[in-house]
Amino acid sequence: MKKYDVVIIGAGPAGLAAAVSAREEDASVLVIEREARPGGILKQCIHDGFGLIRYREKLSGCEYASREILKTRESGAEIQTLSFVSRITKLEKGFVLLLSSRHGMSNIFARSLILATGCRERTARQVAVHGTRPAGVLTAGTAQYYLNVLGQLPGKRCVILGSGDIGLIMARRLTLEGAEVLGVYEAKSEPGGLSRNLYQCLEDFDIPLHLSTTVLEVHGKERVQGVTLVKVDENLTPLPGTEEDLSCDALILSVGLIPENELAQNLGAVIDPVTKGPVADEDGMTSVPGLFSCGNAYHVSDLADYVSESGERAGRAAAVWTPGNIPSTLPVTAEKNLLYVVPQGIRRQPQEKIVFYFRCSRTLQGAILRVRLGENEILQKHYDILRPAEIEKVILNLSGKDLCSCERLTFSLEEL
């Protein structure tokens, strides 16, 4: 049985960054990838906007992935593609993974394990779109793969349900390739994508955005022939009498992402009901000692740069972690006007640089972030505008603080 200090499941930007940082600590590293090539979803992202933080350049997703792959190969980490993890067994001093690959079944040992498995898109059934299952109903990521990798247009008259970033980008991409995008329909009262994508993908191409509107039913047997649209109230309940039929041949879904965490759950990791990812500390270590999570498997990020940052921290920590080292953690809680804060806990030891990410629960036109350590306020930060679609990052210096006597670290947002 081959033995490694660190095994990483997933060769997207998080897994690749984790591999490089683990190798910098002289750990032996194996990256397991189910696809034929590393790079994750970035392989099909030909639009730019990646790398502005990490590389200080405007890169396409493909370019960003290529740089990460090159760094990983140069680091000496092993990458095993077309391989699947069939079973993971937790031992006292590590993990045993059963792998299925083109070479057959094999077992490997990992002292520490990093889950960089990314996320998946919600389907039509998961958002209660009724009707049959004709050709032409695709998630935005699948439509992107058809168009950018296979060179196939998924439809000529397209309706996009959901205003997530991939959906907005596909609205522009389909238009550029000659399809007619009839509109982007969002059930919520405000859009779900980044502001820059709203301007660059919709407004610049005169693609209409319809808020508080959803798809009630899909029509067609062999191929999509149309959809029924309906207005919804603040509770997302359809409003009778507002139904409208629209002829189309493709329904593209951009209705949210779910972290891939079946492996974490099977190992007994505590899952955050809001993020749908594991509860973890500042290095990404979950409630299972030696099991780390990073990237979109931990919480869904809006920037690949943040995904890579998360992978770097997890890789570095996993490389130096030793069995039996279970530090005491200080709980981190999200209160007023916050959807969540990660990490959900930090080690009870002074640290100079702890990175936190948070999402607000609603759009705020002017707000103050307040951070309290116990009863003492240690940070105030002003924001002109905050939107749930956009993750914010804040760094705390707790090097001179007594973390052992406090009950929790609390984040809250006060609207101005």
Side-chain angles (χ1 to χ4, degrees), residues 189-207:
S189 59
E190 59 182 275
L194 294 172
S195 297
R196 72 185 188 203
N197 286 331
L198 292 170
Y199 291 113
Q200 296 173 4
C201 300
L202 298 189
E203 292 192 16
D204 288 356
F205 289 85
D206 295 324
I207 299 171

Side-chain angles (χ1 to χ4, degrees), residues 82-119:
L82 293 175
S83 299
F84 298 83
V85 177
S86 299
R87 185 176 66 241
I88 304 175
T89 304
K90 178 73 172 76
L91 304 179
E92 183 180 351
K93 294 187 177 181
F95 304 83
V96 173
L97 288 74
L98 177 62
L99 298 186
S100 175
S101 70
R102 72 196 96 173
H103 306 297
M105 307 293 287
S106 62
N107 284 312
I108 61 170
F109 174 83
R111 176 170 50 81
S112 57
L113 180 63
I114 300 177
L115 301 180
T117 46
C119 55

Side-chain angles (χ1 to χ4, degrees), residues 216-244:
L216 184 65
E217 187 175 356
V218 177
H219 305 291
K221 185 176 181 181
E222 301 297 329
R223 176 80 197 190
V224 172
Q225 296 179 346
V227 296
T228 297
L229 302 165
V230 65
K231 294 286 186 181
V232 297
D233 62 18
E234 62 273 10
N235 298 315
L236 306 186
T237 302
L239 298 173
T242 64
E243 297 86 352
E244 176 189 357

Side-chain angles (χ1 to χ4, degrees), residues 91-171:
L91 304 179
E92 183 180 351
K93 294 187 177 181
F95 304 83
V96 173
L97 288 74
L98 177 62
L99 298 186
S100 175
S101 70
R102 72 196 96 173
H103 306 297
M105 307 293 287
S106 62
N107 284 312
I108 61 170
F109 174 83
R111 176 170 50 81
S112 57
L113 180 63
I114 300 177
L115 301 180
T117 46
C119 55
R120 64 177 181 269
E121 296 176 278
R122 285 189 174 90
T123 65
R125 289 294 182 263
Q126 289 176 304
V127 292
V129 174
H130 301 288
T132 55
R133 301 184 65 179
V137 180
L138 307 94
T139 63
T142 302
Q144 186 181 60
Y145 178 79
Y146 273 33
L147 198 52
N148 294 349
V149 178
L150 301 181
Q152 299 293 323
L153 193 65
K156 294 182 179 179
R157 284 175 54 84
C158 305
V159 167
I160 296 180
L161 175 60
S163 58
D165 288 309
I166 304 178
L168 300 178
I169 289 165
M170 284 311 298

Side-chain angles (χ1 to χ4, degrees), residues 146-388:
Y146 273 33
L147 198 52
N148 294 349
V149 178
L150 301 181
Q152 299 293 323
L153 193 65
K156 294 182 179 179
R157 284 175 54 84
C158 305
V159 167
I160 296 180
L161 175 60
S163 58
D165 288 309
I166 304 178
L168 300 178
I169 289 165
M170 284 311 298
R172 175 180 63 186
R173 186 80 179 92
L174 288 163
T175 300
L176 289 171
E177 290 300 324
E180 181 183 5
V181 177
L182 303 175
V184 174
Y185 297 84
E186 170 59 57
K188 296 180 180 179
S189 59
E190 59 182 275
L194 294 172
S195 297
R196 72 185 188 203
N197 286 331
L198 292 170
Y199 291 113
Q200 296 173 4
C201 300
L202 298 189
E203 292 192 16
D204 288 356
F205 289 85
D206 295 324
I207 299 171
L209 172 64
H210 303 271
L211 300 175
S212 299
T213 309
T214 191
V215 172
L216 184 65
E217 187 175 356
V218 177
H219 305 291
K221 185 176 181 181
E222 301 297 329
R223 176 80 197 190
V224 172
Q225 296 179 346
V227 296
T228 297
L229 302 165
V230 65
K231 294 286 186 181
V232 297
D233 62 18
E234 62 273 10
N235 298 315
L236 306 186
T237 302
L239 298 173
T242 64
E243 297 86 352
E244 176 189 357
D245 289 336
L246 185 63
S247 173
C248 64
D249 63 1
L251 173 62
I252 311 297
L253 303 170
S254 180
V255 288
L257 302 169
I258 305 172
E260 292 272 16
N261 276 305
E262 287 77 7
L263 294 175
Q265 289 177 304
N266 291 341
L267 287 168
V270 176
I271 303 298
D272 188 313
V274 178
T275 66
K276 309 301 182 184
V279 172
D281 67 13
E282 67 269 33
D283 291 326
M285 190 162 82
T286 70
S287 58
V288 178
L291 178 67
F292 295 78
S293 179
C294 61
N296 286 338
Y298 180 25
H299 71 106
V300 176
S301 297
D302 52 10
L303 297 176
D305 308 70
Y306 290 164
V307 167
S308 296
E309 286 182 8
S310 171
E312 283 184 338
R313 287 190 292 273
R316 192 173 300 113
V320 301
W321 183 82
T322 55
N325 180 16
I326 307 174
S328 173
T329 57
L330 175 71
V332 177
T333 58
E335 295 187 348
K336 186 178 179 182
N337 291 320
L338 282 170
L339 185 62
Y340 69 79
V341 175
V342 293
Q344 295 93 341
I346 59 172
R347 296 190 304 276
R348 288 183 181 271
Q349 62 185 49
Q351 301 178 64
E352 290 186 0
K353 185 179 179 181
I354 306 181
V355 180
F356 294 88
Y357 302 96
F358 68 86
R359 286 186 191 270
C360 58
S361 58
R362 61 188 179 89
T363 297
L364 299 173
Q365 299 285 347
I368 294 178
L369 174 70
R370 299 186 184 274
V371 182
R372 300 194 311 276
L373 182 60
E375 298 300 322
N376 298 318
E377 187 169 277
I378 61 173
L379 176 72
Q380 284 188 24
K381 187 174 181 180
H382 178 268
Y383 294 88
D384 291 330
I385 185 170
L386 290 170
R387 298 180 61 241

